[in-house]
Amino acid sequence: MEIVTLVEISLNRIGTAQGVGGAFSASKSCVVFAEAEDAEIETVRDVVIKAAQENGETGALDGLKHEPRYGAGTILFNIQEGNVFYSQIYAECEVFPALKSGGRYFRLQEVKTTSRYR
């Protein structure tokens, strides 16, 4: 058993990264899980790109950018190409620690043990 960083990736627009040419073709969506070295934005971005390519994205994802939003927990990535604007974000990610055992994952929740005064 080992503790790993797991990323749940909701790929919402696979097939739209090629810009205007792909804007009129049907896109697909899926949810995948992947291990990451850490929870840093650039690391998660690389994991998203790999997952998108493995699930049928044929366009270049060089323009995939982190979209900071207020609130905690979800990391968002988007790509807008040319004169095409998509109202749906390209990828939504939740990063969390997990226990890996025999190819299975179990979500872990950290317990904060610092003293708190009321």
Side-chain angles (χ1 to χ4, degrees):
M1 283 193 257
E2 64 180 309
I3 295 176
V4 298
T5 301
L6 198 61
V7 184
E8 178 179 357
I9 309 166
S10 296
L11 294 165
N12 299 317
R13 299 190 282 117
I14 297 172
T16 63
Q18 61 265 25
V20 177
F24 304 107
S25 64
S27 64
K28 70 176 188 171
S29 62
C30 67
V31 175
V32 296
F33 290 85
E35 286 185 37
E37 288 182 26
D38 54 51
E40 298 295 320
I41 298 295
E42 284 303 312
T43 305
V44 175
R45 180 185 178 273
D46 292 342
V47 171
V48 168
I49 290 171
K50 183 178 179 192
Q53 291 169 339
E54 289 174 350
N55 284 280
E57 181 60 72
T58 58
L61 290 168
D62 296 335
L64 188 68
K65 294 183 176 138
H66 173 243
E67 283 209 3
R69 300 268 172 101
Y70 294 106
T74 303
I75 300 173
L76 305 174
F77 293 97
N78 207 6
I79 188 166
Q80 304 287 359
E81 294 291 330
N83 296 329
V84 179
F85 177 78
Y86 297 95
S87 59
Q88 188 176 37
I89 201 87
Y90 187 85
E92 300 173 52
C93 305
E94 182 184 355
V95 182
F96 54 91
L99 182 64
K100 181 179 179 181
S101 176
R104 296 173 62 198
Y105 296 94
F106 302 88
R107 184 183 297 258
L108 296 176
Q109 183 175 4
E110 181 180 359
V111 176
K112 303 279 186 197
T113 58
T114 58
S115 298
R116 289 183 281 175
Y117 297 98
R118 296 181 198 198

